[in-house]
Amino acid sequence: MSNTNNATMNTKEKTARESKMSVRYITVTAMLSAIAFVLMFLDFSVPVMPGFIKMDLSELPALIGAFAMGPACGVMVCLIKNLLHLLMTSTGGVGELSNFVLGVAFVLPAGLIYKAKKTRKNAIIGSLVGAVAMAIVSFPSNLFVVYPIYENFMPRDVIIAAYQAIVPSVETLWQCLLLFNVPFTFVKALASVLITMLVYKKLSPVLKGTSN
Protein backbone atom coordinates (compact mmCIF):
# COMPACT_ATOMS: atom_id res chain seq x y z
CA MET A 1 0.00 0.00 0.00
CA SER A 2 2.81 2.34 0.91
CA ASN A 3 4.54 1.60 -2.38
CA THR A 4 1.38 2.58 -4.21
CA ASN A 5 1.14 5.81 -2.24
CA ASN A 6 4.80 6.59 -2.92
CA ALA A 7 4.35 5.93 -6.61
CA THR A 8 1.31 8.23 -6.67
CA MET A 9 3.21 10.96 -4.84
CA ASN A 10 6.18 10.61 -7.19
CA THR A 11 3.89 10.86 -10.18
CA LYS A 12 2.24 13.97 -8.79
CA GLU A 13 5.62 15.55 -8.01
CA LYS A 14 6.85 14.74 -11.50
CA THR A 15 3.71 16.22 -13.03
CA ALA A 16 4.07 19.35 -10.90
CA ARG A 17 7.71 19.76 -11.93
CA GLU A 18 6.86 19.31 -15.61
CA SER A 19 4.02 21.81 -15.32
CA LYS A 20 6.31 24.32 -13.63
CA MET A 21 8.94 23.82 -16.33
CA SER A 22 6.34 24.31 -19.07
CA VAL A 23 5.16 27.57 -17.53
CA ARG A 24 8.76 28.80 -17.20
CA TYR A 25 9.53 27.75 -20.79
CA ILE A 26 6.54 29.68 -22.14
CA THR A 27 7.30 32.69 -19.92
CA VAL A 28 10.97 32.85 -20.89
CA THR A 29 10.18 32.39 -24.59
CA ALA A 30 7.59 35.19 -24.46
CA MET A 31 9.93 37.50 -22.57
CA LEU A 32 12.84 36.92 -24.95
CA SER A 33 10.54 37.36 -27.95
CA ALA A 34 9.37 40.72 -26.60
CA ILE A 35 12.95 41.87 -26.10
CA ALA A 36 13.89 40.70 -29.60
CA PHE A 37 10.89 42.53 -31.04
CA VAL A 38 11.98 45.78 -29.38
CA LEU A 39 15.57 45.30 -30.57
CA MET A 40 14.34 45.05 -34.17
CA PHE A 41 13.31 48.69 -33.94
CA LEU A 42 16.61 49.77 -32.39
CA ASP A 43 18.50 49.35 -35.64
CA PHE A 44 21.16 51.72 -36.90
CA SER A 45 23.18 52.43 -40.02
CA VAL A 46 26.79 51.34 -40.42
CA PRO A 47 29.16 53.72 -42.26
CA VAL A 48 30.64 51.07 -44.57
CA MET A 49 27.22 49.85 -45.75
CA PRO A 50 24.50 51.40 -47.94
CA GLY A 51 21.93 53.35 -45.93
CA PHE A 52 19.11 50.84 -46.48
CA ILE A 53 21.05 48.10 -44.66
CA LYS A 54 20.71 48.33 -40.90
CA MET A 55 22.39 46.66 -37.95
CA ASP A 56 20.32 45.30 -35.09
CA LEU A 57 20.82 42.78 -32.30
CA SER A 58 17.43 41.09 -32.38
CA GLU A 59 19.04 37.63 -32.75
CA LEU A 60 20.70 38.08 -29.36
CA PRO A 61 17.66 37.02 -27.24
CA ALA A 62 17.05 34.08 -29.60
CA LEU A 63 20.61 32.84 -29.13
CA ILE A 64 20.35 33.17 -25.36
CA GLY A 65 17.03 31.29 -25.46
CA ALA A 66 18.53 28.52 -27.60
CA PHE A 67 21.26 28.00 -24.99
CA ALA A 68 19.11 28.34 -21.89
CA MET A 69 15.91 26.57 -22.93
CA GLY A 70 16.90 24.60 -26.02
CA PRO A 71 17.09 25.15 -29.80
CA ALA A 72 13.29 25.15 -30.20
CA CYS A 73 13.06 28.16 -27.90
CA GLY A 74 15.51 30.08 -30.09
CA VAL A 75 13.49 29.25 -33.19
CA MET A 76 10.25 30.30 -31.48
CA VAL A 77 11.78 33.64 -30.48
CA CYS A 78 12.77 34.23 -34.12
CA LEU A 79 9.24 33.37 -35.25
CA ILE A 80 7.33 35.39 -32.66
CA LYS A 81 9.42 38.56 -33.02
CA ASN A 82 8.88 38.54 -36.79
CA LEU A 83 5.14 37.86 -36.51
CA LEU A 84 4.88 40.83 -34.14
CA HIS A 85 7.02 42.97 -36.43
CA LEU A 86 4.83 42.02 -39.39
CA LEU A 87 1.84 43.61 -37.64
CA MET A 88 3.76 46.90 -37.30
CA THR A 89 5.20 47.25 -40.80
CA SER A 90 4.08 47.25 -44.43
CA THR A 91 6.88 45.22 -46.00
CA GLY A 92 4.53 42.47 -47.13
CA GLY A 93 6.36 40.00 -44.95
CA VAL A 94 9.46 39.83 -47.16
CA GLY A 95 11.82 41.34 -44.63
CA GLU A 96 10.30 39.32 -41.80
CA LEU A 97 10.56 36.06 -43.74
CA SER A 98 14.21 36.73 -44.53
CA ASN A 99 14.93 37.70 -40.93
CA PHE A 100 13.28 34.52 -39.68
CA VAL A 101 15.20 32.26 -42.07
CA LEU A 102 18.51 33.89 -41.22
CA GLY A 103 17.74 33.81 -37.51
CA VAL A 104 16.95 30.10 -37.61
CA ALA A 105 20.13 29.42 -39.61
CA PHE A 106 21.98 31.13 -36.77
CA VAL A 107 20.38 29.90 -33.55
CA LEU A 108 19.35 26.36 -34.52
CA PRO A 109 22.84 24.92 -35.15
CA ALA A 110 24.20 26.90 -32.20
CA GLY A 111 21.51 25.50 -29.90
CA LEU A 112 21.85 21.93 -31.18
CA ILE A 113 25.63 21.84 -30.78
CA TYR A 114 25.41 23.30 -27.29
CA LYS A 115 22.62 20.89 -26.31
CA ALA A 116 24.79 17.91 -27.31
CA LYS A 117 27.37 18.90 -24.71
CA LYS A 118 26.79 21.95 -22.55
CA THR A 119 30.27 23.42 -22.27
CA ARG A 120 31.60 26.89 -22.99
CA LYS A 121 33.68 25.44 -25.80
CA ASN A 122 30.62 23.95 -27.48
CA ALA A 123 28.72 27.20 -26.99
CA ILE A 124 31.47 29.07 -28.84
CA ILE A 125 31.75 26.44 -31.57
CA GLY A 126 27.98 26.30 -32.02
CA SER A 127 27.72 30.09 -32.16
CA LEU A 128 30.46 30.35 -34.78
CA VAL A 129 28.90 27.58 -36.87
CA GLY A 130 25.58 29.41 -36.65
CA ALA A 131 27.19 32.73 -37.60
CA VAL A 132 28.79 31.15 -40.67
CA ALA A 133 25.51 29.45 -41.62
CA MET A 134 23.63 32.73 -41.27
CA ALA A 135 26.13 34.52 -43.50
CA ILE A 136 26.01 31.79 -46.16
CA VAL A 137 22.20 31.62 -46.19
CA SER A 138 22.01 35.41 -46.50
CA PHE A 139 23.43 35.25 -50.04
CA PRO A 140 20.73 33.16 -51.78
CA SER A 141 18.06 34.66 -49.53
CA ASN A 142 18.89 38.19 -50.64
CA LEU A 143 19.73 37.33 -54.25
CA PHE A 144 16.67 35.24 -55.08
CA VAL A 145 13.99 36.44 -52.66
CA VAL A 146 14.50 39.74 -50.88
CA TYR A 147 16.10 41.97 -53.51
CA PRO A 148 13.95 40.81 -56.46
CA ILE A 149 10.88 41.84 -54.47
CA TYR A 150 12.45 45.10 -53.29
CA GLU A 151 13.16 45.91 -56.95
CA ASN A 152 9.43 46.59 -57.30
CA PHE A 153 10.06 49.67 -55.16
CA MET A 154 13.70 50.44 -55.97
CA PRO A 155 15.22 49.63 -59.39
CA ARG A 156 18.24 47.32 -59.39
CA ASP A 157 20.54 49.96 -60.88
CA VAL A 158 19.68 52.28 -57.99
CA ILE A 159 20.44 49.52 -55.50
CA ILE A 160 23.77 48.75 -57.14
CA ALA A 161 24.58 52.47 -57.32
CA ALA A 162 24.27 52.64 -53.52
CA TYR A 163 26.96 49.98 -53.25
CA GLN A 164 29.08 51.62 -55.94
CA ALA A 165 29.11 54.84 -53.94
CA ILE A 166 31.24 52.89 -51.44
CA VAL A 167 33.14 50.56 -53.79
CA PRO A 168 32.92 51.78 -57.41
CA SER A 169 34.26 48.52 -58.87
CA VAL A 170 31.17 46.40 -58.07
CA GLU A 171 28.96 45.87 -61.11
CA THR A 172 26.40 43.17 -60.33
CA LEU A 173 24.05 42.47 -57.46
CA TRP A 174 25.72 39.19 -56.55
CA GLN A 175 29.06 40.99 -56.29
CA CYS A 176 27.46 43.53 -53.97
CA LEU A 177 26.03 40.80 -51.78
CA LEU A 178 29.28 38.86 -51.56
CA LEU A 179 31.36 41.94 -50.82
CA PHE A 180 28.96 43.69 -48.44
CA ASN A 181 25.98 41.67 -47.19
CA VAL A 182 27.61 38.31 -46.45
CA PRO A 183 30.46 39.74 -44.32
CA PHE A 184 28.04 42.19 -42.71
CA THR A 185 25.69 39.36 -41.73
CA PHE A 186 28.59 37.41 -40.25
CA VAL A 187 29.75 40.42 -38.21
CA LYS A 188 26.17 41.03 -37.09
CA ALA A 189 25.96 37.47 -35.81
CA LEU A 190 29.35 37.77 -34.12
CA ALA A 191 28.11 40.80 -32.19
CA SER A 192 25.31 38.69 -30.71
CA VAL A 193 27.77 35.88 -29.99
CA LEU A 194 30.15 38.20 -28.14
CA ILE A 195 27.41 39.71 -25.98
CA THR A 196 25.95 36.27 -25.25
CA MET A 197 29.33 34.98 -24.08
CA LEU A 198 29.64 37.96 -21.76
CA VAL A 199 26.20 37.79 -20.15
CA TYR A 200 24.97 34.19 -20.45
CA LYS A 201 26.61 32.84 -17.31
CA LYS A 202 24.80 35.41 -15.18
CA LEU A 203 21.48 35.17 -17.02
CA SER A 204 21.29 31.38 -17.27
CA PRO A 205 20.31 30.67 -13.61
CA VAL A 206 17.63 33.37 -13.77
CA LEU A 207 16.13 32.04 -17.00
CA LYS A 208 16.24 28.44 -15.81
CA GLY A 209 14.92 29.27 -12.35
CA THR A 210 17.96 27.83 -10.59
CA SER A 211 19.23 31.04 -9.03
CA ASN A 212 19.31 31.29 -5.26
Side-chain angles (χ1 to χ4, degrees):
M1 189 72 170
S2 58
N3 289 337
T4 303
N5 290 336
N6 289 336
T8 302
M9 289 178 63
N10 290 335
T11 301
K12 289 182 178 179
E13 289 176 358
K14 182 179 179 181
T15 302
R17 285 197 301 270
E18 291 176 348
S19 178
K20 185 176 180 180
M21 289 175 62
S22 297
V23 171
R24 175 166 291 276
Y25 185 93
I26 294 171
T27 302
V28 170
T29 302
M31 179 187 68
L32 293 174
S33 299
I35 295 172
F37 171 63
V38 172
L39 288 176
M40 291 185 78
F41 289 96
L42 300 179
D43 56 4
F44 53 92
S45 300
V46 178
V48 295
M49 297 294 292
F52 52 81
I53 296 178
K54 306 289 185 180
M55 167 75 84
D56 70 73
L57 296 174
S58 63
E59 279 79 32
L60 172 61
L63 182 60
I64 292 174
F67 285 160
M69 310 302 288
C73 176
V75 172
M76 286 302 298
V77 171
C78 291
L79 176 62
I80 294 171
K81 71 165 184 173
N82 280 291
L83 290 176
L84 293 174
H85 193 263
L86 181 60
L87 299 175
M88 305 290 290
T89 61
S90 57
T91 62
V94 179
E96 288 77 18
L97 176 61
S98 175
N99 188 282
F100 172 69
V101 171
L102 295 184
V104 172
F106 178 35
V107 304
L108 185 57
L112 288 172
I113 292 174
Y114 180 68
K115 184 179 180 180
K117 189 175 182 181
K118 296 184 178 181
T119 63
R120 182 176 177 82
K121 181 180 178 181
N122 261 29
I124 294 174
I125 292 173
S127 297
L128 293 178
V129 170
V132 171
M134 183 178 178
I136 292 174
V137 171
S138 73
F139 180 74
S141 172
N142 281 313
L143 184 62
F144 298 116
V145 180
V146 177
Y147 278 71
I149 294 177
Y150 281 163
E151 285 172 20
N152 294 321
F153 310 97
M154 182 185 298
R156 177 168 293 201
D157 57 348
V158 175
I159 294 174
I160 295 176
Y163 289 99
Q164 289 175 331
I166 303 170
V167 178
S169 60
V170 295
E171 297 179 350
T172 62
L173 181 59
W174 69 265
Q175 288 176 329
C176 297
L177 297 177
L178 283 178
L179 186 61
F180 289 91
N181 293 55
V182 172
F184 172 80
T185 303
F186 181 67
V187 171
K188 177 183 175 182
L190 284 184
S192 292
V193 172
L194 178 59
I195 297 173
T196 299
M197 294 303 135
L198 292 174
V199 304
Y200 180 72
K201 188 174 182 179
K202 293 183 178 180
L203 287 178
S204 177
V206 178
L207 297 176
K208 294 179 180 179
T210 57
S211 58
N212 293 326

